[in-house]
Amino acid sequence: MPITTHGFLPTHGDGRSVVDRPHTTPTGADTPRRPDIDYLAQVAQAVEHLGFTGMLTPTGSWCQDAWITTAALLARTKRIKFLVAFRPGSLSPTLAAQLAGTYQKVSDGRLLLNIVTGGESTEQQRYGDWLDHDERYARTDEFLAILRGIFAGEPFDFDGEHHSVRGATSFEPPAPVPPLYFGGSSDAALPVAARRADVHLTWGEPPAAVGRKVQRLRELAAEECRELRFGLRAHVITRNTSADAWDTAQRFLGQMDPADVAASQAKIAKTEAVGQHKMAGLHGGVLPSSARDLEVHPGLWAGVGLLRGGAGTALVGSHSEVADLIEEYHSVGIDEFVLSGYPHLEEAYWFGEGVHPELARRGLRESTSPGAVRDLEPAPH
């Protein structure tokens, strides 16, 4: 299966380093590039032009609303799909189905859905959600059962512990039905993914660990008589040479304040998300002097996770080396890659002009993606 690449929409701001874009505060912080619609349109248009398929747009109290922001960007773009993240605890499944149907109608089918159950009670409680971790996944299971029922186009009945509906319908079922992307690494999450998801997203652990997760999910999906696709969410630092890429990682590391790292790690330590603890385990909360000390697998750097929650690793190297690592992940079952960098605009060009052609040369990607810049020397951003 060919590799699919997606970008990331920085709806919480952007900057030239991980230190410029806090991800662990509950409210917006000043960033060098504020997430106004004009800047976000620049990023979206670049990602579209460079041949990416979609853009993940996050959800949470630390960023703008994904539904409204991406809907505004539909008129500023032509082809790019938006992977809209939302939390089942914050709206009803019937409303979600209605939103999806309307979005597909006005966008001509450019919606992908990312289901975020939520791994931190403090964040969930900001939205009035007081369920614990495992209960949230049980609710998500019911939510997705109803959502898929409504997508089928007939009045749908459901009785559950968290959701009950009678004759649930949408004005128009979405056409096409958007694929459901779903993350989660816990024992409560994996069976829900196997039953309900189309694509399971995981963070960038070393390929062997990712491969074990993929195999486990394949087994669970087979028990449900289903098949899953798999995606990886990570950052990327790709340059013309390996030395240039690692120099950038070193610069990011050198800009980190030990007090900020300690504060971020204290907050991350409180999360209930199993995947987040695995990210933290890769760097151990230690701020070394050399970026290479946080290389946890050839070309995989854990330094981003010192300051940032969520995806904490980056693919670092020359365009060929980054393609090598992507190919290694592909060999263990990953077909989709959701990638971001600092700044998002410039890193999209580095990847799109450098790595996309390399993947095409290896037969892992079509070389004639609509709007892509093909076989060009990367600009010196």
Side-chain angles (χ1 to χ4, degrees):
M1 178 180 292
I3 284 172
T4 299
T5 57
H6 305 278
F8 186 88
L9 193 66
T11 53
H12 43 351
D14 202 0
R16 293 186 174 274
S17 169
V18 63
V19 303
D20 292 331
R21 197 169 59 90
H23 189 221
T24 55
T25 54
T27 58
D30 286 337
T31 54
R33 300 184 189 179
R34 298 295 295 163
D36 61 72
I37 198 66
D38 289 331
Y39 179 66
L40 296 178
Q42 286 187 57
V43 178
Q45 289 163 358
V47 168
E48 179 174 78
H49 178 68
L50 292 161
F52 292 80
T53 294
M55 296 193 77
L56 175 60
T57 308
T59 185
S61 60
W62 44 269
C63 62
Q64 296 174 348
D65 177 73
W67 290 100
I68 293 174
T69 302
T70 60
L73 291 172
L74 291 174
R76 308 283 285 269
T77 54
K78 299 176 181 178
R79 176 192 57 82
I80 197 76
K81 296 182 179 181
F82 291 104
L83 179 49
V84 173
F86 72 96
R87 301 185 182 191
S90 62
L91 75 170
S92 75
T94 306
L95 177 57
Q98 183 181 19
L99 288 167
T102 303
Y103 200 110
Q104 290 296 60
K105 187 73 171 180
V106 302
S107 71
D108 196 22
R110 291 162 59 188
L111 176 67
L112 311 170
L113 289 176
N114 181 30
I115 314 302
V116 180
T117 298
E120 184 181 345
S121 291
T122 301
E123 168 74 3
Q124 295 300 123
Q125 289 165 11
R126 295 188 183 114
Y127 292 90
D129 181 6
W130 296 87
L131 297 184
D132 67 24
H133 176 275
D134 289 1
E135 288 176 322
R136 292 196 293 269
Y137 278 102
R139 179 180 58 197
T140 294
D141 192 27
E142 295 181 6
F143 183 103
L144 295 179
I146 297 170
L147 190 68
R148 287 198 178 276
I150 298 171
F151 283 173
E154 298 292 334
F156 188 74
D157 295 343
F158 184 89
D159 286 303
E161 181 180 352
H162 302 283
H163 291 287
S164 295
V165 296
R166 289 288 180 274
T169 59
S170 179
F171 174 70
E172 283 185 310
V177 172
L180 303 182
Y181 290 68
F182 181 93
S185 299
S186 67
D187 291 339
L190 297 185
V192 181
R195 277 191 295 272
R196 310 296 182 193
D198 296 303
V199 182
H200 183 273
L201 286 176
T202 189
W203 287 325
E205 296 178 75
V210 170
R212 289 191 292 271
K213 185 185 295 184
V214 166
Q215 183 57 37
R216 174 60 177 148
L217 278 161
R218 282 177 171 162
E219 293 169 356
L220 290 171
E223 293 173 5
E224 301 285 343
C225 299
R226 302 185 71 242
E227 293 183 358
L228 285 176
R229 301 194 307 278
F230 298 93
L232 187 87
R233 168 75 183 106
H235 304 280
V236 64
I237 304 172
T238 184
R239 298 292 185 270
N240 290 336
T241 69
S242 183
D244 286 348
W246 281 103
D247 283 348
T248 300
Q250 184 65 48
R251 175 171 61 82
F252 289 174
L253 187 71
Q255 292 171 337
M256 294 183 188
D257 185 322
D260 291 339
V261 170
S264 292
Q265 293 309 302
K267 182 179 186 300
I268 289 170
K270 298 176 182 178
T271 184
E272 300 163 285
V274 171
Q276 188 68 83
H277 287 295
K278 291 181 177 181
M279 285 285 96
L282 294 177
H283 54 66
V286 176
L287 182 62
S289 58
S290 171
R292 287 282 192 172
D293 290 342
L294 293 174
E295 187 179 17
V296 295
H297 179 84
L300 186 66
W301 186 57
V304 177
L306 287 170
L307 281 181
R308 186 193 190 280
T313 52
L315 286 56
V316 180
S318 68
H319 306 313
S320 178
E321 289 170 338
V322 169
D324 288 342
L325 186 50
I326 287 175
E327 192 167 4
E328 188 173 359
Y329 278 118
H330 187 53
S331 73
V332 300
I334 300 297
D335 295 318
E336 303 197 23
F337 293 82
V338 181
L339 303 169
S340 55
Y342 305 98
H344 289 67
L345 180 62
E346 284 89 332
E347 197 64 51
Y349 275 99
W350 278 114
F351 189 92
E353 294 178 349
V355 182
H356 272 169
E358 181 64 28
L359 294 173
R361 280 191 286 269
R362 300 180 187 202
L364 296 174
R365 171 184 170 81
E366 293 183 5
S367 60
T368 55
S369 299
V373 175
R374 297 180 291 277
D375 300 321
L376 298 180
E377 184 67 19
H381 296 297

